[in-house]
Amino acid sequence: MSDIVLGVGASHSTLMNTHWDQVVHIDRAEAFRDALGTARRRIAEARPDVAVIVGSNHFRGFWLDLIPAFTLGVGEVVAAGESGTPKGPQRTDPEFAQALAADLVEAGTEVAISARLQIDHGQSHAIQYLLDGLDVPVVPLVVNVFARPLPTPARCVRLGENLAAAVGRIAAGRRVVVIASGGLSHRLPWPSDWTDPHGDDETFLVDAWINGRGEWERYDKRRREIIVAARPTIFPEFDRTFLDDLEQGRLRRYASMTTDEVESAAGNGGQELRAWLVMAAALGFIPGTPLVYAPMPEWLTGMGVAVLDPGASGEPR
């Protein structure tokens, strides 16, 4: 059998790569960067054979012509490389990924599969900062968090629970780290409902989401301008409560939230917290350790890092 030996949750933002010199709250930015370094060391100490990265895709690998609720990369994985994130083919473990997909489907969690999956910073940010230099193969698990209708938080919890069971049934003896990439609260300058865009910018973005397959770069310059010009909207009270619930092992309570409730409480970018629910459920909702919370208006996001360690909870590693 294989074992999940560590869970990590970490926010992402490409503005960390491209706009560091414009940061005003430099102490918060450095604290977040340092927490990523701490999480990376914890991953290294866990000696993983593979990392399952649960995250989003910002319409560079998926478009509205086809966007499943959950997609598992079971073959080649190629990073888009936008804004200073990793680019090109990533190291993978197709045998493990294919066994994982088969077991999940047998357990009743239908995941789409991709033999050539393009990821963006929704997952490559984690590769860049959490797996740098570790040479750990990755299995991306992409959750649709932007194109409604979204999978419910409750369904994401079931995915995480079935992920843990599937890992336990795979006889490869691999040590697995589950990384959740995304969140915390933020509001993107995107239409919350792609069927009802308002104004030229939202209309442009929906056009990019529908027609971007194979040529996302054509849309990327204006996309970037729209994002950089956005007014920051962060919900620190929600973020701190979420991290406190993680510390107390209470994240299961978020499974009852609706998509509208998540957006009201944490913004449309807060829908990425589904990745944290998948990860926490895969770790059995054990109490975790928040490493940092840094509200970063310069990066449009409430940035957090946390670790869930079964060994620290008395569970086998």
Side-chain angles (χ1 to χ4, degrees), residues 87-105:
K87 183 174 184 178
Q90 303 299 303
R91 187 182 172 199
T92 59
D93 187 343
E95 179 184 9
F96 179 81
Q98 290 162 18
L100 196 60
D103 195 291
L104 284 170
V105 171

Side-chain angles (χ1 to χ4, degrees), residues 250-268:
R250 298 191 300 240
L251 286 190
R252 185 184 291 275
R253 63 174 56 181
Y254 294 84
S256 64
M257 296 184 74
T258 67
T259 294
D260 286 341
E261 287 170 342
V262 172
E263 178 161 350
S264 177
N268 58 357

Side-chain angles (χ1 to χ4, degrees), residues 32-254:
F32 177 73
R33 181 189 58 196
D34 292 347
L36 290 176
T38 299
R40 182 199 167 280
R41 289 193 293 274
R42 295 289 297 274
I43 292 171
E45 291 166 359
R47 297 176 288 109
D49 299 302
V50 63
V52 176
I53 305 180
V54 188
S56 56
N57 189 284
H58 306 76
F59 296 99
R60 292 185 180 88
F62 293 86
W63 292 268
L64 289 176
D65 60 355
L66 181 63
I67 185 162
F70 308 122
T71 304
L72 199 68
V74 299
E76 183 180 3
V77 173
V78 181
E82 78 282 6
S83 303
T85 53
K87 183 174 184 178
Q90 303 299 303
R91 187 182 172 199
T92 59
D93 187 343
E95 179 184 9
F96 179 81
Q98 290 162 18
L100 196 60
D103 195 291
L104 284 170
V105 171
E106 286 297 317
T109 298
E110 289 76 14
V111 291
I113 61 168
S114 174
R116 183 179 293 121
L117 179 64
Q118 179 167 291
I119 60 173
D120 67 8
H121 69 274
Q123 299 185 323
S124 61
H125 196 277
I127 294 172
Q128 180 176 19
Y129 289 100
L130 298 177
L131 300 178
D132 179 49
L134 300 184
D135 197 30
V136 178
V138 298
V139 176
L141 177 53
V142 181
V143 180
N144 171 27
V145 300
F146 294 128
R148 294 192 184 210
L150 309 182
T152 64
R155 191 175 174 211
C156 293
V157 166
R158 289 194 294 273
L159 170 62
E161 292 170 340
N162 285 348
L163 175 66
V167 167
R169 284 190 287 263
I170 294 176
R174 287 172 174 82
R175 295 170 62 83
V176 180
V177 167
V178 180
I179 298 172
S181 180
L184 301 169
S185 72
H186 58 295
R187 185 173 298 284
L188 295 166
W190 291 3
S192 296
D193 181 353
W194 63 271
T195 67
D196 185 29
H198 296 278
D200 291 343
D201 286 348
E202 291 193 0
T203 299
F204 168 83
L205 289 170
V206 171
D207 179 65
W209 298 353
I210 294 174
N211 299 305
R213 186 174 297 278
E215 53 177 359
W216 64 265
E217 294 96 335
R218 180 165 71 89
Y219 295 92
D220 217 44
K221 183 176 184 293
R222 184 172 171 190
R223 275 178 45 136
R224 191 70 175 168
E225 292 170 350
I226 292 170
I227 290 170
V228 170
R231 180 176 64 87
T233 304
I234 303 171
F235 302 85
E237 184 176 349
F238 172 88
D239 293 339
R240 293 189 176 97
T241 299
F242 184 86
L243 290 174
D244 181 64
D245 285 335
L246 177 145
E247 187 172 22
Q248 300 300 319
R250 298 191 300 240
L251 286 190
R252 185 184 291 275
R253 63 174 56 181
Y254 294 84

